[in-house]
Amino acid sequence: MKYFIFCLIMHILVMLVFIVVTLLFSERNRKRKTKHGFMFFAPVFFAVITIAYAIIFAMPVLMDIKNVSSGKYQSYTGYVEEIGQTKTCVTIDGTKYRINPTAPMPEIGEYVKIRYAGSSKLIMEMEAAQETTFELVE
């Protein structure tokens, strides 16, 4: 939960920085202080970056606030295929999930059960799972 709040605050701060930079360049254009022609398009460039960042990173975390605060997570059980170099993401059965880098990391090939926030795919709980096999009885 602490890592989720940390991620939420960091994404909001990054978006605010992009918005402030966009407004600063826009104000320079308005006051006609832009010296280079290509800098005239800086507000548009930073506005596009802000929108892309919001859609890709910030909005999924913002949409998960309700689920995380109420403790309603989605669960999945599968095999760990890959662990990211920075230990912030784990690939389980072909799907990438984000994980707290200070949390205990599973081994590659380990069968795990995870509970994660739906939109941001941030793992909130992870534990080793027992692999069950079903035999067909005739």
Side-chain angles (χ1 to χ4, degrees), residues 28-104:
R28 286 182 56 92
N29 283 351
R30 190 182 70 76
K31 291 181 179 179
R32 305 209 183 268
K33 290 185 176 181
T34 305
K35 294 183 181 172
H36 301 288
F38 66 92
M39 291 302 288
F40 180 75
F41 295 104
V44 175
F45 175 73
F46 281 106
V48 168
I49 288 177
T50 303
I51 292 169
Y53 185 84
I55 291 171
I56 296 170
F57 298 108
M59 288 308 294
V61 177
L62 289 171
M63 291 182 345
D64 280 336
I65 290 174
K66 180 180 176 185
N67 294 334
V68 171
S69 64
S70 65
K72 294 181 181 176
Y73 306 126
Q74 295 181 0
S75 63
Y76 185 77
T77 306
Y79 290 99
V80 176
E81 294 177 354
E82 181 183 357
I83 298 174
Q85 285 183 335
T86 59
K87 298 188 186 227
T88 57
C89 66
V90 175
T91 305
I92 300 174
D93 292 341
T95 306
K96 285 192 177 197
Y97 298 93
R98 294 182 23 223
I99 188 169
N100 183 348
T102 61

Side-chain angles (χ1 to χ4, degrees), residues 110-126:
E110 187 176 349
Y111 195 67
V112 294
K113 178 179 181 181
I114 59 170
R115 295 185 68 207
Y116 64 96
S119 298
S120 62
K121 294 191 177 183
L122 179 64
I123 296 175
M124 303 306 271
E125 300 172 9
M126 180 171 35

Side-chain angles (χ1 to χ4, degrees), residues 5-21 50 53-54 57-58 61-62:
I5 293 170
F6 174 75
C7 286
L8 177 66
I9 291 170
M10 287 297 115
H11 286 307
I12 290 172
L13 286 176
V14 169
M15 280 193 47
L16 287 175
V17 167
F18 282 144
I19 290 170
V20 167
V21 169
T50 303
Y53 185 84
F57 298 108
V61 177
L62 289 171

